[in-house]
Amino acid sequence: MANVEETVLTYWAACESQDWARMGALLADDVVYHLPQSRERIRGRDAYLQFNREYPGQWRFSVTRVTGTGARVASWITATSDGEELPAVTFFDLDEAGLISVITEFWPEPYEPPPGREHLVERYPAATARSA
């Protein structure tokens, strides 16, 4: 990728088109995905891609802003599903090879995760939400 912002724009384009191979090419093998509101963490490229493949509903994504420098990038997106629009802010850390190694995603409100993804995630107590 030419720069960190381009990497994240490509990530969101892959999400929008559900091109999991394209998304996977952007991720480090040991990528870690954090969802602080639901206190969930997913470890590893394969688990994260499966999480996205299995996520219920038809989601659409539009990017409002992407900004970053060095190995860190932030994005502001709007996700739409079943007519509901939800803003989200996502922080990305890239490794030395330019692959996404950490994703931390914030949605509007805390929530309990829907059933069916227990095989992919680990839950953690609220007090340790910031730890890796």
Side-chain angles (χ1 to χ4, degrees):
M1 292 291 129
N3 63 51
V4 294
E5 292 175 353
E6 185 178 324
T7 298
V8 169
L9 287 169
T10 302
Y11 169 91
W12 285 119
C15 284
E16 173 66 20
S17 63
Q18 297 183 358
D19 185 342
W20 309 127
R22 185 176 178 199
M23 178 192 280
L26 300 170
L27 304 173
D29 288 339
D30 59 350
V31 65
V32 179
Y33 177 62
H34 299 274
L35 283 164
Q37 279 90 353
S38 62
R39 300 179 333 275
E40 294 176 284
R41 182 180 304 117
I42 300 171
R43 295 181 188 272
R45 179 189 309 148
D46 292 340
Y48 183 60
L49 291 172
Q50 184 175 349
F51 172 83
N52 279 283
R53 280 198 280 301
E54 294 178 2
Y55 205 87
Q58 180 62 40
W59 290 82
R60 309 305 301 176
F61 300 95
S62 63
V63 177
T64 302
R65 181 179 300 162
V66 173
T67 186
T69 186
R72 296 201 165 154
V73 187
S75 69
W76 170 15
I77 60 121
T78 300
T80 306
S81 180
D82 297 326
E84 183 179 8
E85 290 187 351
L86 297 169
V89 174
T90 309
F91 296 93
F92 299 85
D93 292 338
L94 282 66
D95 65 14
E96 306 80 36
L99 297 174
I100 298 168
S101 60
V102 179
I103 304 167
T104 304
E105 196 156 70
F106 292 91
W107 293 90
E109 297 180 21
Y111 63 94
E112 285 300 309
R117 60 192 195 198
E118 298 84 0
H119 63 293
L120 297 171
V121 303
E122 56 187 76
R123 294 289 305 271
Y124 53 87
T128 61
R130 291 190 176 109
S131 65

